[in-house]
Amino acid sequence: MINQVTLVGRLTKDPVLRYTPDGKAVSNVTLAINRNFRNTVGDYEADFVQCIIWKKSAENTAQYCKKGTLIGITGRIQTRRYENKDGKNIYVTEVVAEMVQFLGPKQQEVKLEDFEHIGL
């Protein structure tokens, strides 16, 4: 079986670094990825993909990236299920990062206007 995905997009907010009880670094991020075509009004739409980054990659992403940073992620798709407080099953599909690459300049200034075309 093959389960591999490569994404290039911009972070929708600053990464937040957390640690598991056993001390592993983890960061959940969302990538905004423009579609390759325009909608009926002529605008590009975007997909927002949830990603999980672990260990040193999570620490580096939290330290060197911020909202709007262009990054590339190679990883695998994972689906999980949990029960919410109302007893309803919630299904989540996300990408577990195996490799993260920072693609923008080191001190890149990104303004909110840069995201207007994708509705952020």
Side-chain angles (χ1 to χ4, degrees), residues 98-111:
E98 295 169 357
M99 184 175 68
V100 179
Q101 293 183 341
F102 306 150
L103 302 174
K106 283 186 179 181
Q107 296 298 324
Q108 182 177 1
E109 282 281 330
V110 178
K111 299 180 178 90

Side-chain angles (χ1 to χ4, degrees), residues 33-63:
I33 304 166
N34 281 352
R35 294 182 180 169
N36 292 332
F37 53 89
R38 295 177 188 265
N39 62 18
T40 55
V41 233
D43 295 329
Y44 286 105
E45 293 180 4
D47 292 300
F48 299 88
V49 181
Q50 305 293 317
C51 302
I52 303 171
I53 306 171
W54 288 94
K55 301 178 183 174
K56 190 65 175 173
S57 293
E59 292 173 334
N60 288 339
T61 301
Q63 182 176 357

Side-chain angles (χ1 to χ4, degrees), residues 10-120:
R10 296 196 182 274
L11 294 174
T12 61
K13 60 183 178 179
D14 292 348
V16 175
L17 183 63
R18 298 178 293 112
Y19 289 90
T20 63
D22 61 346
K24 291 182 184 167
V26 61
S27 182
N28 293 63
V29 299
T30 302
L31 285 185
I33 304 166
N34 281 352
R35 294 182 180 169
N36 292 332
F37 53 89
R38 295 177 188 265
N39 62 18
T40 55
V41 233
D43 295 329
Y44 286 105
E45 293 180 4
D47 292 300
F48 299 88
V49 181
Q50 305 293 317
C51 302
I52 303 171
I53 306 171
W54 288 94
K55 301 178 183 174
K56 190 65 175 173
S57 293
E59 292 173 334
N60 288 339
T61 301
Q63 182 176 357
Y64 296 110
C65 298
K66 60 183 178 180
K67 178 179 178 176
T69 301
L70 184 67
I71 67 171
I73 290 180
T74 301
R76 61 183 167 82
I77 295 176
Q78 174 177 289
T79 303
R80 59 186 170 88
R81 177 186 64 88
Y82 67 92
E83 194 173 295
N84 70 6
K85 63 182 177 184
D86 300 326
K88 184 178 177 185
N89 286 330
I90 305 296
Y91 294 88
V92 178
T93 301
E94 53 206 357
V95 173
V96 178
E98 295 169 357
M99 184 175 68
V100 179
Q101 293 183 341
F102 306 150
L103 302 174
K106 283 186 179 181
Q107 296 298 324
Q108 182 177 1
E109 282 281 330
V110 178
K111 299 180 178 90
L112 187 57
E113 298 87 52
D114 297 337
F115 285 102
E116 286 181 353
H117 70 283
I118 59 172
L120 288 181

